[in-house]
Amino acid sequence: MANQLGLPDGLAEYIRESSLREDTILRELRERTSDLPAVSAMQVMPEEGQLLTLLAGLTPARRILEIGTFTGYSTLCLARALVPGGQLITCDIAGSWPRIGADYWARAGVDGQIDVRIGHATDTLKAIIADEGPGGFDLVFIDADKQSYPDYYEMALTLLGDRGLIVVDNTLFFGRVADPDAQDEETAAIRAFNNLVRDDPRVEMSLVPMADGITLIRRKHPSNSD
């Protein structure tokens, strides 16, 4: 699990104690994921999960698309914010990770609203566009392989409804984006993606320095265009 970048440990702990409302089901899923040390850094922070629930509720979200399920912590946070009868489609490359989260989704009573699609997300998104056309989702959360972020972003814009929101995780990438010596493929991909969104005249955006960096994006409308 990525930590909150740029905050002293004491202040980060104070923020958690003062604001986090993680319940037993979420906490147990987070702890189960932490037992997977080789990949536990892929877990969203509980504070970020709480923010996702808030953002999805503000939309309000009838349909949510999640690109990158992992063990389903963020999936559960998002599914809980769906309006009655809503649906969350979540995409992952492997079925083994979502299966970990499935029991927790069931305990929370949201498993019937979650549709897991296994395979490369670009193929899944292309199929959704072909089957349903554009504009069907109120919120899209992107948290998958970093080199594919530009492709996910373009397809997310296609699938986003008029007043929808795109949320992109890991856009500070453990702080490495600001380190000129960090030239690995994933860091370079995030830098390029950040520049792409910053320079995209079609959208409004804000890179929020929370957790590992969260970028909020929505399509511009005539009333708020330059």
Side-chain angles (χ1 to χ4, degrees):
M1 181 177 68
N3 294 319
Q4 169 61 56
L5 294 174
L7 285 181
D9 290 342
L11 184 55
E13 184 60 30
Y14 173 81
I15 293 171
R16 177 166 292 186
E17 290 177 355
S18 299
S19 67
L20 184 61
R21 295 179 173 181
E22 185 182 48
D23 67 10
T24 300
I25 298 174
L26 284 169
R27 176 177 52 78
E28 290 180 359
L29 176 53
R30 177 168 56 85
E31 291 172 350
R32 171 70 178 86
T33 304
S34 70
D35 292 334
L36 309 168
V39 292
S40 59
M42 295 166 60
Q43 173 71 67
V44 301
M45 288 180 63
E47 292 89 341
E48 181 180 358
Q50 186 166 301
L51 176 63
L52 289 172
T53 303
L54 179 64
L55 291 172
L58 288 170
T59 307
R62 178 168 295 279
R63 296 192 77 207
I64 296 173
L65 175 63
E66 179 182 45
I67 305 169
T69 314
F70 191 40
T71 61
Y73 188 98
S74 56
T75 313
L76 176 52
C77 292
L78 290 165
R80 281 177 160 173
L82 286 165
V83 302
Q87 179 196 44
L88 187 155
I89 295 177
T90 184
C91 313
D92 206 273
I93 193 68
S96 55
W97 300 127
R99 280 196 291 271
I100 292 173
D103 289 341
Y104 299 89
W105 303 340
R107 286 172 56 193
V110 297
D111 53 318
Q113 295 175 277
I114 298 172
D115 179 1
V116 180
R117 308 279 180 96
I118 301 302
H120 199 287
T122 54
D123 295 331
T124 301
L125 269 57
K126 287 177 182 177
I128 294 172
I129 293 170
D131 292 342
E132 302 183 14
F137 291 87
D138 304 297
L139 186 145
V140 180
F141 179 49
I142 301 174
D143 183 16
D145 56 300
K146 310 314 171 193
Q147 291 90 337
S148 297
Y149 268 25
D151 292 334
Y152 298 151
Y153 171 63
E154 287 298 332
M155 287 187 279
L157 282 174
T158 297
L159 288 165
L160 200 65
D162 286 342
R163 295 292 175 180
L165 179 69
I166 299 173
V167 183
V168 187
D169 198 19
N170 303 120
T171 49
L172 292 179
F173 207 60
F174 305 96
R176 295 209 291 264
V177 289
D179 180 359
D181 294 327
Q183 296 297 328
D184 58 280
E185 190 172 341
E186 288 190 314
T187 303
I190 290 294
R191 286 196 194 103
F193 174 76
N194 289 339
N195 291 341
L196 170 69
V197 177
R198 179 198 63 197
D199 297 336
D200 188 345
R202 299 171 296 174
V203 301
E204 298 177 296
M205 57 81 66
S206 179
L207 199 171
V208 181
M210 176 187 180
D212 193 33
I214 304 167
T215 298
L216 307 179
I217 304 162
R218 71 170 188 167
R219 190 182 293 107
K220 278 186 178 180
H221 294 274
S223 61
N224 54 19
S225 298
D226 294 336

